[in-house]
Amino acid sequence: MKSLKKQAWIHHQAAKKHKQLTHHQSAGIPGRHLWRILATWVISSSMMLGGPVFADMASNNMTYSQLLQKIEQGKVTKIEVDPALRTAKVRLEGQKSTDAMMVVSLFEYNPELLEQVRAKKVDFEIKPSTDNSAAMGLAVNLLVIFIVLGVLMMMLRRSTQSQGNAMNFGKSRARFQMEAKTGVMFDDVAGIEEAKEELQEVVMFLKKPERFTAIGAKIPKGVLLIGPPGTGKTLLAKAIAGEAGVPFFSISGSEFVEMFVGVGASRVRDLFKKAKEHAPCIVFIDEIDAVGRQRGAGIGGGNDEREQTLNQLLTEMDGFEGNNGVIIIAATNRPDVLDTALLRPGRFDRQVMVDLPSYKGRLGILQVHARNKKLDMEVSLETIARRTPGFSGADLSNLLNEAAILTARRRKETITNLEINDAIDRITIGLKLNPLLDSKKKWMTAYHEVGHALVATLLPNSDPVEKVTIIPRSGGIEGFTSFTLDDEMVDSEGLRSRALMLSRITVALGGRAAEAEIYGPDEIDTGAGSDIRQVTALARDMVTLYGMSELGPVALESPNNEVFLGRDWMARSEYSEDMAAKIDRQVRAIAFLCYEESRRLIRENRHLIDRLVEILLDKETIEGDEFRQIVGQYVKLPEKLSISKR
């Protein structure tokens, strides 16, 4: 009996070690025991969802040693062994057939169990469960095969696409629309009425070509839109497509040029082939100067690929047969660099200027962009249009958008004049910074800005002051004085009289003059650097371009005389060294004359400038009307001359 108990104890310890060993081996997760992991997960879920059920299952477990003892005591009536699971289900005496059988974990070899069963003649039965290890192994192998096949298919597809891209490398990349869905009409384009009138006949030809062909008229094959950036050239091309309702090809000039020679020319051929198939249609080439620059220019030769592309473009444009309904519209802001063969009749034989808008144009643009903006009743678009000379359509759109952003940031319901003014200052001057502390720097900034504003107010030919402020802006701007460049006072892009240019030079030197009069020549600072550069440029233009000096009405330089790809690299000087010295003396004479005039005005109104500086230091910003009202209390304001009075 003792030997039997000892043997049972040994078997019990062996079973515990076997369980620990199988637990450590399970970390490897053999494929043939994968179903055990799933069973463990199911059991764990059942344990979390129902504790009592798990408790009942735990109560039905029996150790191997307890089984041997029960068999020896004759309390076991039936044993069902599952070799695959290595478990045995045991029914004890007194249990009903409906009661759950006890579960015992077995070893791989159980000779003592078989001996006990034979000795006690226990009902012994082997009931193997379904072994899914082979099926699981097959499924895993099939999964690996499918993954390998999938990777091979992806590699094959990429190889096919790369071959297709290689075959389509010379195809045109133009965005194509069978119908004009640009959503832009002529009513959405404002400020360029003259350009719209010129392009109305293009729309009419696309809609009713028989009206022109009946009398033998031919529509221009190419229309070149020329103008500064942001004036609406691309928008105008979209409006033409929207009005005509014909197929619309859109491509950029840079998309023709590639590193491989011949690709650009192939794309040009493909583009025009597609255009002829869908005639009548519009082909829009944006930034055509990227491919249409002058051939043979530059040091060391030109770009062979770009020149071949341009040659193909010239050939295709000249190869149109009659009025086939294909119209080329191109846009550029550098017409001076285009090849002359591109501009001859039969190609781009019509040039439409899309210039910066005038007052009426700016008002129309503001009305278009203000449709979806919530403006306050006090906001006047006419005032905004007068305050923004030189703004393009893109600038005006950005202006209203910045004002809307500031309104949302300040949690207001509508856009007020404050947001409009801040948006204008942010676009033209820069981001507002913290005010300067009360120091000598702040006082000098105040005298500098008041010097500009006072000189401008006292001169009859100067632009009216709009605002004076000493609030610093980003970019190193300590303060600024802005002016209203009224169209009737002639803006910087139109006609300018000699009196107006001299007044602008005098006003630009007003800040330096105030510093010199108040603090002395030794205390002037670098704040007038940009003013002096502006003065030098204006004075030199008066001498060399406009004949407004003692040298007489002689143009000594050419406007926009820029070196383009070496074309003017070796060009000779347009005047002698002796004439260059005379030009320098005339430029200095104009600058010194205006500087002395500024100092005289500051010196004669010293008491007034001190009063204005005190008010500016207190308020930090003085509007133009208030500034003129204060000056009018001390001196008589001159009458601002209009163009008709000059």
Side-chain angles (χ1 to χ4, degrees):
M1 185 68 179
K2 291 183 179 179
S3 61
L4 182 61
K5 290 184 178 180
K6 183 176 181 181
Q7 186 179 5
W9 183 82
I10 292 173
H11 285 300
H12 177 67
Q13 295 296 326
K16 292 176 64 177
K17 292 182 179 180
H18 178 71
K19 288 183 179 181
Q20 295 177 356
L21 181 60
T22 55
H23 175 71
H24 290 294
Q25 289 178 349
S26 63
I29 312 178
R32 62 194 185 94
H33 297 304
L34 185 60
W35 63 272
R36 291 189 178 182
I37 299 175
L38 297 176
T40 304
W41 179 77
V42 173
I43 294 173
S44 301
S45 301
S46 302
M47 179 182 64
M48 295 176 64
L49 295 175
V53 176
F54 179 79
D56 293 340
M57 293 178 63
S59 63
N60 292 333
N61 291 337
M62 180 185 296
T63 63
Y64 186 77
S65 301
Q66 291 175 348
L67 174 60
L68 295 177
Q69 291 179 2
K70 296 292 184 182
I71 295 174
E72 186 178 358
Q73 295 173 2
K75 295 182 178 181
V76 178
T77 60
K78 186 176 181 180
I79 298 177
E80 295 178 358
V81 177
D82 187 349
L85 298 179
R86 293 182 184 178
T87 58
K89 294 182 179 180
V90 180
R91 188 182 301 282
L92 302 178
E93 290 182 348
Q95 286 185 332
K96 299 179 181 180
S97 59
T98 57
D99 295 340
M101 300 177 68
M102 306 295 291
V103 180
V104 181
S105 298
L106 301 178
F107 300 110
E108 186 175 0
Y109 301 102
N110 306 280
E112 61 279 354
L113 176 62
L114 298 177
E115 292 178 0
Q116 292 285 347
V117 168
R118 293 192 188 98
K120 297 298 182 178
K121 297 181 179 180
V122 178
D123 185 5
F124 185 82
E125 184 179 0
I126 297 177
K127 288 187 176 182
S129 61
T130 304
D131 189 4
N132 297 325
S133 59
M136 292 295 296
L138 179 62
V140 172
N141 292 333
L142 290 176
L143 180 61
V144 173
I145 293 174
F146 286 143
I147 292 175
V148 173
L149 290 176
V151 173
L152 292 177
M153 290 295 293
M154 291 177 61
M155 295 174 62
L156 182 61
R157 180 174 296 179
R158 288 188 177 182
S159 176
T160 305
Q161 289 180 352
S162 63
Q163 293 178 1
N165 291 336
M167 298 299 295
N168 296 328
F169 198 67
K171 299 295 182 181
S172 173
R173 297 184 178 181
R175 275 76 63 189
F176 172 61
Q177 295 176 351
M178 280 304 296
E179 295 183 3
K181 299 179 181 179
T182 58
V184 181
M185 307 295 284
F186 275 154
D187 292 338
D188 301 320
V189 183
I192 45 178
E193 302 302 326
E194 297 82 1
K196 289 197 296 184
E197 290 179 3
E198 291 235 14
L199 295 172
Q200 282 285 358
E201 62 187 33
V202 176
V203 177
M204 290 301 298
F205 173 79
L206 292 171
K207 286 184 175 181
K208 299 178 180 179
E210 63 278 359
R211 179 181 300 180
F212 295 87
T213 57
I215 58 176
K218 294 182 179 180
I219 200 72
K221 297 177 181 178
V223 179
L224 184 62
L225 304 179
I226 302 173
T231 52
K233 299 183 293 295
T234 304
L235 189 66
L236 189 58
K238 292 181 179 180
I240 296 172
E243 291 284 345
V246 296
F248 181 66
F249 293 84
S250 175
I251 192 170
S252 174
S254 60
E255 297 184 30
F256 288 115
V257 183
E258 292 283 354
M259 64 178 293
F260 303 104
V261 177
V263 174
S266 175
R267 289 180 178 173
V268 171
R269 288 191 296 269
D270 184 66
L271 172 63
F272 282 89
K273 179 181 177 182
K274 291 180 180 178
K276 292 177 183 179
E277 292 174 354
H278 296 88
C281 66
I282 293 176
V283 177
F284 175 61
I285 305 176
D286 197 8
E287 304 296 342
I288 195 174
D289 53 275
V291 68
R293 288 173 178 257
Q294 183 175 353
R295 292 169 292 179
I299 299 177
N303 186 336
D304 292 338
E305 164 61 6
R306 182 182 55 78
E307 291 190 2
Q308 289 190 21
T309 305
L310 176 58
N311 291 336
Q312 187 64 43
L313 179 62
L314 296 175
T315 303
E316 293 290 341
M317 291 192 67
D318 197 35
F320 286 168
E321 299 177 359
N323 292 333
N324 58 0
V326 179
I327 296 179
I328 310 299
I329 300 177
T332 182
N333 53 10
R334 293 292 308 276
D336 56 312
V337 304
L338 294 179
D339 195 276
T340 54
L342 197 63
L343 304 177
R344 75 159 178 81
R347 291 181 179 132
F348 286 112
D349 47 3
R350 173 165 297 190
Q351 300 181 14
V352 178
M353 296 299 300
V354 186
D355 212 340
L356 293 173
S358 61
Y359 164 72
K360 292 183 178 180
R362 294 193 299 271
L363 180 58
I365 294 173
L366 289 171
Q367 290 172 349
V368 170
H369 291 293
R371 292 174 183 173
N372 59 345
K373 303 291 190 303
K374 294 183 179 180
L375 298 178
D376 193 81
M377 296 296 295
E378 64 179 7
V379 175
S380 173
L381 296 180
E382 290 80 4
T383 304
I384 300 175
R386 290 193 178 278
R387 291 184 57 189
T388 53
F391 274 46
S392 65
D395 294 332
L396 295 172
S397 175
N398 186 37
L399 167 62
L400 292 182
N401 185 61
E402 287 290 339
I405 293 174
L406 291 175
T407 303
R409 183 182 302 170
R410 296 169 182 176
R411 301 182 183 277
K412 292 184 177 181
E413 297 295 332
T414 57
I415 301 174
T416 63
N417 283 326
L418 178 61
E419 283 72 40
I420 296 293
N421 296 335
D422 291 343
I424 293 176
D425 292 343
R426 184 169 186 174
I427 293 174
T428 56
I429 305 298
L431 187 64
K432 183 184 296 185
L433 303 179
N434 293 327
L436 296 172
L437 298 177
D438 192 4
S439 60
K440 180 181 178 181
K441 182 179 180 181
K442 186 174 182 179
W443 279 81
M444 288 193 68
T445 301
Y447 274 108
H448 183 99
E449 301 304 332
V450 169
H452 286 305
L454 182 59
V455 172
T457 304
L458 296 178
L459 290 176
N461 297 285
S462 64
D463 302 308
V465 176
E466 179 186 338
K467 179 193 297 184
V468 185
T469 180
I470 55 173
I471 298 177
R473 300 279 173 165
S474 57
I477 300 176
E478 304 296 341
F480 68 92
T481 303
S482 59
F483 303 92
T484 302
L485 302 178
D486 196 345
D487 289 342
E488 295 183 355
M489 294 293 292
V490 185
D491 57 19
S492 59
E493 299 298 329
L495 298 175
R496 292 171 290 178
S497 66
R498 185 175 185 273
L500 176 63
M501 297 186 71
L502 289 175
S503 295
R504 288 183 174 177
I505 294 175
T506 306
V507 171
L509 293 172
R512 170 58 62 86
E515 294 176 5
E517 287 294 330
I518 303 302
Y519 293 97
D522 295 334
E523 293 296 325
I524 58 176
D525 56 20
T526 59
S530 61
D531 300 330
I532 294 175
R533 289 192 294 270
Q534 178 186 357
V535 166
T536 305
L538 283 174
R540 190 171 189 85
D541 289 345
M542 291 177 63
V543 175
T544 61
L545 297 180
Y546 308 127
M548 297 179 178
S549 68
E550 295 179 359
L551 298 181
V554 180
L556 301 173
E557 292 180 357
S558 300
N560 301 324
N561 189 16
E562 300 175 357
V563 175
F564 164 62
L565 296 179
R567 183 175 61 194
D568 301 320
W569 187 264
M570 301 300 294
R572 65 178 181 85
S573 176
E574 297 183 359
Y575 42 79
S576 63
E577 294 183 1
D578 181 60
M579 181 60 69
K582 292 180 179 180
I583 291 174
D584 293 338
R585 285 194 293 269
Q586 289 296 315
V587 171
R588 293 181 71 252
I590 292 175
F592 275 83
L593 176 66
C594 295
Y595 182 62
E596 291 301 324
E597 178 66 12
S598 296
R599 295 194 64 170
R600 182 187 67 81
L601 293 174
I602 297 297
R603 191 182 310 114
E604 293 178 356
N605 297 276
R606 174 61 187 273
H607 62 289
L608 176 56
I609 195 172
D610 291 337
R611 175 58 181 163
L612 290 170
V613 166
E614 292 177 358
I615 298 175
L616 183 59
L617 290 172
D618 182 47
K619 293 186 174 183
E620 294 185 339
T621 299
I622 303 177
E623 298 296 333
D625 294 336
E626 182 182 0
F627 189 90
R628 284 184 288 273
Q629 183 179 1
I630 298 174
V631 175
Q633 297 175 359
Y634 292 84
V635 296
K636 182 180 180 181
L637 296 179
E639 181 182 358
K640 294 294 182 181
L641 299 179
S642 62
I643 296 178
S644 60
K645 295 181 181 180
R646 292 183 184 174

